[in-house]
């Protein structure tokens, strides 16, 4: 038995010794095979910068796709909204949103820069260094979509008049007082007038697209009480779905211009003496942040009857409310109407079911003004049936002392808003 066991062990050891070199060779030198690389290019570095208290920029510069900038809104609690407010790259170097103009300069070079124009001030933010475009393209002419008949209308502005498949359009752009026919007009957009937005104002001028539903519309520009007309190219007649806008004085030297279009309600907040609106409210950005110092918001922005409410004074001053203009008959909203729940939402100062008093204000007047696109925060929601339009309402403050205190609070709120704007 022992002899048999010893013989088995020796046999196994010899077999292992004979197989070991072959096995080692198999692992050490595998047969040559075609290998396909699965290595992926490293993700471009993202540089995050705070533009202001409400906006951040995610900037990258990939060697393959070039520079990219995404602007996002920051909520009061510090969280960032996932949907980008503006996106820039080499094919799209300029975009205006929420009263601010974002431009990707030096986009074809290895060191592009993001510039932000807001409140008359330009701030620059360099992107990470990348690779210059190869070859560097020559300056491109105005894209066909935005090209048109450019006419100087005064105060450093031109109107680019179009009337193609999109219908009549008047693009109001700022070019400076030295502009002359033949010069480039692809610069900062102040307003766009069409059959959905027929009025606006900027830089001391008001604009109105008249006869918009006909084949021969006309742009009327009024400066210092004097009006001048500019005929657009002839096109095809079509339905005019622009509601007549209205202006509301909300106190603290601020007015709110309200209008309604198939895209929904919009509000342009303007300070007396300023050339353009300092903030735009719409379905995407229906309420100011608390740090702006005043209350201004669209209640039920995606509902059938949205309402604008505001408060610019402190203390127990009641909220002011007014309705939006109605769309012309036959015009429909181009989104699904969603009635939000009744009751207070985050940031609301009015308990659910409570009907606030009407704030003292000046009567609402009609004004030819429409607002550009804007950007979102939550506001209070109340049943539309309980909302009182404040066009003719008045609430009186008792005593000169209370009036002085309210005025001081309004000035303080305006100062905070200008600092944060």
């Amino acid at each position: 038995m022992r002899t048999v066991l010893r013989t088995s062990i020796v046999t196994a050891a010899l077999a292992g010794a004979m197989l070991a070199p072959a096995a080692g060779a198999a692992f050490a030198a595998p047969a040559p095979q075609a290998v396909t690389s699965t290595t992926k290019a490293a993700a471009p570095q993202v540089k995050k910068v705070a533009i202001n208290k409400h906006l951040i920029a995610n900037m990258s510069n990939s060697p393959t796709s070039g520079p990219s900038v995404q602007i996002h809104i920051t909520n009061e609690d510090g969280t960032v909204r996932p949907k980008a407010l503006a996106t820039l790259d080499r094919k799209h170097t300029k975009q205006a949103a929420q009263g601010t103009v974002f431009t990707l300069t030096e986009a074809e070079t290895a060191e592009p820069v993001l510039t932000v124009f807001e409140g008359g001030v330009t701030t620059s933010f360099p992107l990470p260094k990348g690779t210059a475009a190869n070859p560097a393209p020559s300056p491109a002419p105005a894209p066909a979509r935005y090209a048109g008949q450019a006419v100087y209308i005064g105060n450093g502005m031109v109107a680019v008049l179009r009337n193609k498949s999109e219908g009549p359009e008047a693009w109001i752009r700022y070019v400076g007082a030295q502009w002359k026919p033949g010069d480039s007009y692809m610069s900062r957009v102040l307003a766009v007038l069409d059959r959905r937005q027929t009025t606006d104002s900027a830089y001391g001028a008001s604009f109105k697209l008249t006869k918009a539903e006909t084949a021969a519309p006309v742009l009327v520009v009024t400066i210092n009480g004097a009006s001048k007309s500019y005929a657009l190219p002839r096109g095809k007649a079509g339905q005019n779905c622009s509601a007549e806008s209205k202006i509301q004085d909300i106190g603290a030297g601020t007015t709110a211009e309200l209008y309604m279009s198939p895209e929904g309600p919009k509000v342009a907040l303007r300070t007396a003496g300023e050339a353009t609106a300092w903030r735009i409210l719409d379905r995407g950005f229906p309420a100011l942040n608390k740090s702006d110092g005043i209350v201004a918001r669209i209640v039920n922005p995606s509902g059938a009857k949205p309402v604008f409410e505001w408060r610019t004074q402190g203390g127990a001053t009641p909220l002011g409310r007014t309705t939006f203009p109605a769309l012309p008959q036959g015009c429909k909203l181009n989104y699904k109407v969603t009635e939000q729940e009744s009751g207070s939402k985050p940031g609301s100062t009015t308990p659910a079911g409570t009907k606030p008093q009407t704030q003292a204000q000046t009567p609402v007047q009609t004004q030819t003004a429409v607002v550009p696109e804007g950007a979102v925060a939550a506001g209070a929601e109340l049943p539309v049936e309980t909302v009182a339009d404040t066009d003719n309402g008045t609430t009186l403050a008792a005593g000169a002392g209370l009036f002085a205190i309210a005025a001081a609070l309004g000035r303080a709120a305006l100062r905070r808003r200008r600092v944060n704007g």
Side-chain angles (χ1 to χ4, degrees):
M1 184 68 178
R2 290 179 181 175
T3 301
V4 175
L5 179 60
R6 290 193 189 100
T7 302
S8 299
I9 294 174
V10 171
T11 303
L14 290 173
M18 295 174 65
L19 292 174
F27 283 103
Q33 297 179 1
V35 178
T36 303
S37 174
T38 58
T39 303
K40 295 183 179 180
Q45 177 187 0
V46 177
K47 180 180 179 181
K48 297 184 177 181
V49 297
I51 296 176
N52 54 37
K53 290 185 178 181
H54 313 308
L55 298 174
I56 66 167
N58 293 334
M59 307 187 300
S60 61
N61 201 349
S62 168
T64 55
S65 57
S68 175
V69 177
Q70 288 191 339
I71 311 296
H72 292 266
I73 299 173
T74 304
N75 297 317
E76 291 289 348
D77 59 1
T79 58
V80 178
R81 298 177 190 174
K83 183 179 179 180
L85 173 65
T87 301
L88 305 176
D89 53 30
R90 281 176 175 156
K91 295 181 179 180
H92 181 65
T93 58
K94 179 178 287 189
Q95 186 171 345
Q98 198 180 338
T100 305
V101 180
F102 309 101
T103 306
L104 183 60
T105 63
E106 306 294 334
E108 304 301 331
T109 71
E111 300 181 8
V113 177
L114 169 67
T115 62
V116 180
F117 181 82
E118 183 178 28
V121 178
T122 300
T123 309
S124 299
F125 303 92
L127 273 72
K129 189 174 180 179
T131 304
N134 187 24
S138 58
R145 171 64 182 86
Y146 306 105
Q149 176 187 348
V151 293
Y152 188 76
I153 58 176
N155 290 5
M157 297 176 290
V158 298
V160 182
L161 309 176
R162 294 171 41 85
N163 199 354
K164 296 184 179 293
S165 60
E166 299 84 8
E169 295 177 336
W171 290 70
I172 311 300
R173 297 177 179 269
Y174 185 81
V175 294
Q178 304 303 317
W179 187 90
K180 59 184 181 297
D183 291 348
S184 172
Y185 52 80
M186 295 301 293
S187 56
R188 181 187 176 192
V189 177
L190 300 176
V192 180
L193 307 183
D194 55 22
R195 284 177 176 146
R196 297 172 300 177
Q197 302 177 9
T198 58
T199 56
D200 205 343
S201 61
Y203 286 88
S206 62
F207 321 111
K208 186 168 186 178
L209 185 61
T210 63
K211 302 180 181 179
E213 71 282 0
T214 71
V218 176
L219 172 67
V220 178
V221 180
T222 303
I223 301 177
N224 297 328
S227 298
K228 190 172 181 179
S229 299
Y230 304 88
L232 274 70
R234 290 188 63 86
K236 295 182 179 180
Q239 186 177 20
N240 181 4
C241 282
S242 175
E244 191 71 23
S245 59
K246 70 178 181 182
I247 186 171
Q248 176 70 54
D249 182 3
I250 65 175
T254 303
T255 58
E257 295 178 8
L258 284 71
Y259 78 97
M260 191 73 179
S261 75
E263 280 70 39
K266 289 185 182 180
V267 179
L269 299 176
R270 299 179 183 268
T271 302
E274 296 293 334
T276 57
W278 65 272
R279 191 70 82 237
I280 304 296
L281 304 180
D282 58 13
R283 292 176 55 237
F285 189 81
L288 293 181
N289 288 305
K290 293 181 180 179
S291 56
D292 284 310
I294 64 175
V295 174
R297 58 197 175 200
I298 302 175
V299 179
N300 208 10
S302 296
K305 295 182 180 180
V307 174
F308 176 62
E309 66 179 15
W310 71 91
R311 178 167 57 215
T312 57
Q313 299 175 348
T317 306
L319 289 167
R321 286 194 174 89
T322 189
T323 57
F324 282 83
L327 286 176
Q329 188 174 3
C331 295
K332 297 181 179 180
L333 299 173
N334 61 10
Y335 55 89
K336 182 179 179 180
V337 175
T338 304
E339 302 294 345
Q340 298 181 3
E341 294 182 1
S342 302
S344 298
K345 299 290 182 183
S348 172
T349 55
T350 304
T354 302
K355 182 177 179 180
Q357 301 178 14
T358 303
Q359 182 181 6
Q361 59 189 266
T362 57
V364 174
Q365 301 174 0
T366 298
Q367 175 169 317
T368 56
V370 178
V371 235
E373 292 293 330
V376 135
E381 298 297 342
L382 292 176
V384 174
E385 291 75 10
T386 68
V387 177
D389 193 313
T390 59
D391 289 356
N392 298 316
T394 304
T395 301
L396 300 179
L402 291 176
F403 179 84
I405 293 173
L409 289 172
R411 289 192 296 270
L414 179 59
R415 284 196 298 272
R416 287 197 303 273
R417 192 259 299 154
R418 283 176 172 169
V419 170
N420 294 323

